[in-house]
């Protein structure tokens, strides 16, 4: 299915009732950012989104459509979700997207197109099928707007909601198990309270009504999954995470895969249950995701929040993750919205000229950042963004913006707190989106000691790099995949969707 086909499908849905508003053409014309410009080039006009969702659950054949793509790819666990992305589930498949502490689950045969995702709102189109929205926490003034073929559903309060898009044969239905929703369509304005279901019928001219709650099999299953754990299990559970973790996508996966401990140096630290010898940012692969560029995709089910927020710390030879600590001189607001980063590492190069270019066959490495170590984005940002993405991890954030070129200092890998977790691989491991762990190169102490941070990731993606869409490859004039490249990793089960339109 091409982008044009996808837009045509949304327009067809709009024609059913004229209530669904498609994104303006320019929303799909903004493709991924090109590699960093030459020195002296004008800065980017806007920062990348500070907020991103993640693909949190996959079952059966689930497909992903990135902005600028002309086909669907297999969806990948822990892949970030942002403006212009879409998910499609085949019949009998399931998928879920996490947005902060909230989750949108897709039933089989559903399509969800993300139009806008920022700190204050989510706007998405449910072109067909059924979704379940679980909202645990919202920022002040935040709203979720889900568009269906017959109208829009606005959610502004925590709760649990089921939305069936409907079609010419079935009504659009909005069920509120908990919370309150506003349903709007031409000539119809409904308020749906807890325990109610709203229905909208008609084509062109609509009729709306609100009655007692009606749950179908999908919503019943979702509510069952949301049921509290038995008291005995809760009593044995690990201590709750610190409050700042709640706004990070994937935070709910941490409790079942590790434990929290209070430390004197770092505050609350989460220790994952991993095998001996495990190192952060080594068990996964790299993708190139607009608009951030190189992005770490971890293979662990819990591998989102700890790799896009916070810092990894080495406590007595054991790796733990800390989302933030109190001794940084920063007063946290009542609601904390963390800033998403594609990977909180410093890339390092070897030898003369590493900051200029690294060939696909040359080596490139990275080191997880520790507390007090500034994260320098390799994508276009403003000084304010650099300050915000480092807040609570670097004590003197007012001076962060004065550090503009990390390659012009005397820093080496030996200056990094987490230097024992440095990972070095051939450049084509990134370009081909290969699993990192099998490709790790042994680097002796002398070589590692001479490694220096590079201001940009000089490995160029190819048209076969995970996350690179057809439009992005064309815009960046990317080379084809290297001869030795292997297929990109894919989530178990899914197959690439055919380009032909799906039947209505």
């Amino acid at each position: 299915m091409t982008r044009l086909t996808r837009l045509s499908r949304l327009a067809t849905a709009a024609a059913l009732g004229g209530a669904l508003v498609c994104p303006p053409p320019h929303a799909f014309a903004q493709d991924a950012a090109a590699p960093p410009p030459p020195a002296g080039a004008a800065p980017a006009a806007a920062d990348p989104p500070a907020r991103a969702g993640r693909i949190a659950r996959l079952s059966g054949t689930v497909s992903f459509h990135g902005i600028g793509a002309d086909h669907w790819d297999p969806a990948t666990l822990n892949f970030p979700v942002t403006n212009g992305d879409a998910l499609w589930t085949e019949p009998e498949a399931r998928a879920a997207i996490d947005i902060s502490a909230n989750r949108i689950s897709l039933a089989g045969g559903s399509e969800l197109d993300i139009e806008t995702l920022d700190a204050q709102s989510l706007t998405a189109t449910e072109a067909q099928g059924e979704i379940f929205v679980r909202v645990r926490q919202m920022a002040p003034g935040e709203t979720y707007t889900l568009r269906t073929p017959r109208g829009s559903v606005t959610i502004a309060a925590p709760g649990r909601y089921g939305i069936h898009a409907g079609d010419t044969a079935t009504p659009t239905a909005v069920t509120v198990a908990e919370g309150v929703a506003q349903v709007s369509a031409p000539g119809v304005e409904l308020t749906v309270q807890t325990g109610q279901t709203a229905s909208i019928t008609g084509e062109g001219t609509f009729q709306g009504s609100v009655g007692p709650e009606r749950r179908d099999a999908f919503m019943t299953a979702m509510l069952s999954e949301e049921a509290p754990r038995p008291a005995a299990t809760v009593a044995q559970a690990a201590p709750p995470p610190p409050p700042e973790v709640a706004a990070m996508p994937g935070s709910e996966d941490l409790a079942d895969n590790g434990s929290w401990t209070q430390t004197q140096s770092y505050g609350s630290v989460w220790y994952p249950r991993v095998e001996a010898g495990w190192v952060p940012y080594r068990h996964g692969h790299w993708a190139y995701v607009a608009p951030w560029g190189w992005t770490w995709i971890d293979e662990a089910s819990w591998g989102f929040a700890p790799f896009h927020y916070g810092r990894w710390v080495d406590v007595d030879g054991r790796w733990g993750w800390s989302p933030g600590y109190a001794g940084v001189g920063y007063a946290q607001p009542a609601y904390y919205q963390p800033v998403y980063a594609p990977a909180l590492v410093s890339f390092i190069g070897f030898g003369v000229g590493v900051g200029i270019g690294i060939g696909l066959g040359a080596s490139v490495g990275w080191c997880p950042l520790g507390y007090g170590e500034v994260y320098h984005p390799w994508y276009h940002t403003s000084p304010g963004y650099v300050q915000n993405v480092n807040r609570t991890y670097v004590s003197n954030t007012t001076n962060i913006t004065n550090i503009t070129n990390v390659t012009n200092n005397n820093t080496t890998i030996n200056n990094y707190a987490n230097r024992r977790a440095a990972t070095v691989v051939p450049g084509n491991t990134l370009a081909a989106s290969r699993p990192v762990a099998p490709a790790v190169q042994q680097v002796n102490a002398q070589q590692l000691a001479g490694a220096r941070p590079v201001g940009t990731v000089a490995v160029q993606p190819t048209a076969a790099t995970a996350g690179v869409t057809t439009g992005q490859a064309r815009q960046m004039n990317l080379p084809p995949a290297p001869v030795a490249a292997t297929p990109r990793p894919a989530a178990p089960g899914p197959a690439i969707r055919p380009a032909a339109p799906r039947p209505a």
Side-chain angles (χ1 to χ4, degrees):
M1 174 190 288
T2 64
R3 170 66 65 180
L4 179 61
T5 302
R6 181 171 146 202
L7 283 173
S8 298
R9 287 180 54 76
L10 296 180
T12 300
L16 178 64
L20 183 101
V21 180
C22 292
H26 62 75
F28 295 110
Q30 299 172 355
D31 217 333
D47 287 330
R51 189 185 195 191
R54 72 134 180 176
I55 298 178
R57 293 288 184 271
L58 294 171
S59 175
T61 300
V62 182
S63 300
F64 177 83
H65 194 292
I67 188 168
D70 63 359
H71 63 276
W72 293 78
D73 284 312
T76 303
L77 187 69
N78 288 327
F79 205 84
V81 176
T82 187
N83 303 332
D85 291 339
L87 275 184
W88 162 256
T89 56
E90 294 286 353
E92 308 304 324
R94 297 280 181 89
I97 298 173
D98 281 354
I99 299 172
S100 298
N102 310 320
R103 174 166 292 182
I104 302 176
S105 299
L106 283 70
S110 300
E111 180 180 340
L112 186 70
D113 303 282
I114 305 297
E115 297 169 22
T116 302
L117 174 58
D118 56 33
Q120 291 297 314
S121 65
L122 164 73
T123 301
T125 294
E126 183 187 351
Q128 61 179 311
E130 184 177 4
I131 63 174
F132 175 79
V133 185
R134 190 270 328 270
V135 180
R136 286 183 175 169
Q137 183 178 5
M138 302 189 85
E142 183 179 1
T143 59
Y144 282 17
T145 300
L146 289 310
R147 294 170 172 167
T148 74
R150 288 191 176 91
S152 297
V153 181
T154 301
I155 298 170
R160 296 175 293 172
Y161 307 85
I163 304 173
H164 198 294
D167 52 34
T168 55
T170 58
T172 298
V174 180
T175 299
V176 178
E178 176 187 354
V180 60
Q182 300 296 325
V183 179
S184 300
V188 176
E189 293 291 337
L190 304 172
T191 297
V192 194
Q193 305 280 358
T194 298
Q196 294 182 329
T197 294
S199 296
I200 304 178
T201 59
E203 298 178 37
T205 301
F206 297 117
Q207 299 80 41
S209 63
V210 177
E213 178 182 347
R214 299 192 305 273
R215 300 179 183 178
D216 62 8
F218 175 70
M219 186 165 186
T220 299
M222 291 295 98
L223 291 171
S224 177
E225 291 183 9
E226 294 289 312
R229 297 181 179 182
T233 303
V234 173
Q236 298 170 8
E244 59 267 28
V245 177
M248 299 176 183
S251 60
E252 66 183 76
D253 291 323
L254 302 181
D256 292 332
N257 294 280
S259 59
W260 289 93
T261 301
Q262 193 71 19
T263 68
Q264 183 174 1
S265 300
Y266 305 108
S268 295
V269 173
W270 179 77
Y271 294 100
R273 288 192 291 272
V274 290
E275 297 179 355
W278 181 91
V279 171
Y281 292 101
R282 188 172 292 177
H283 300 273
H285 67 277
W286 289 94
Y288 200 87
V289 182
W292 300 277
W294 288 111
T295 299
W296 178 253
I297 310 296
D298 202 79
E299 67 184 28
S301 61
W302 50 265
F304 193 86
F307 297 97
H308 301 289
Y309 309 92
R311 294 290 191 268
W312 283 94
V313 295
D314 184 349
V315 182
D316 299 326
R318 185 182 181 190
W319 288 111
W321 174 71
S322 175
Y325 69 115
V328 297
Y330 172 66
Q332 185 168 295
Y335 179 86
Y336 172 61
Q337 180 64 63
V339 178
Y340 167 86
L344 289 159
V345 302
S346 177
F347 279 91
I348 54 177
F350 301 85
V352 178
V354 294
I356 299 174
I358 300 174
L360 292 179
S363 296
V364 64
W366 55 88
C367 181
L369 292 171
Y371 277 109
E373 296 171 351
V374 178
Y375 168 63
H376 296 268
W378 43 84
Y379 42 94
H380 304 310
T381 67
S382 69
Y385 177 95
V386 177
Q387 185 174 13
N388 289 333
V389 77
N390 283 284
R391 197 178 298 276
T392 79
Y393 314 124
V394 179
S395 58
N396 193 358
T397 57
T398 59
N399 289 331
I400 289 175
T401 56
N402 296 328
I403 306 173
T404 58
N405 192 346
V406 72
T407 62
N408 287 339
N409 57 33
N410 296 320
T411 299
T412 67
I413 188 63
N414 285 339
N415 296 104
Y416 286 103
N418 294 332
R419 54 188 176 273
R420 78 177 183 91
T423 296
V424 180
V425 297
N428 56 14
T429 298
L430 276 70
S433 295
R434 296 173 181 163
V436 164
V440 171
Q441 296 178 324
Q442 297 299 318
V443 180
N444 62 44
Q446 183 178 1
Q447 290 174 309
L448 194 59
R452 295 178 181 274
V454 292
T456 61
V457 191
V459 174
Q460 187 182 29
T462 73
T465 304
V468 173
T469 65
T470 306
Q472 182 179 1
R474 185 167 47 248
Q475 179 187 6
M476 297 171 62
N477 194 27
L478 294 180
V483 175
T486 56
R488 68 185 65 173
I496 296 176
R497 285 197 50 77
R502 295 188 299 274

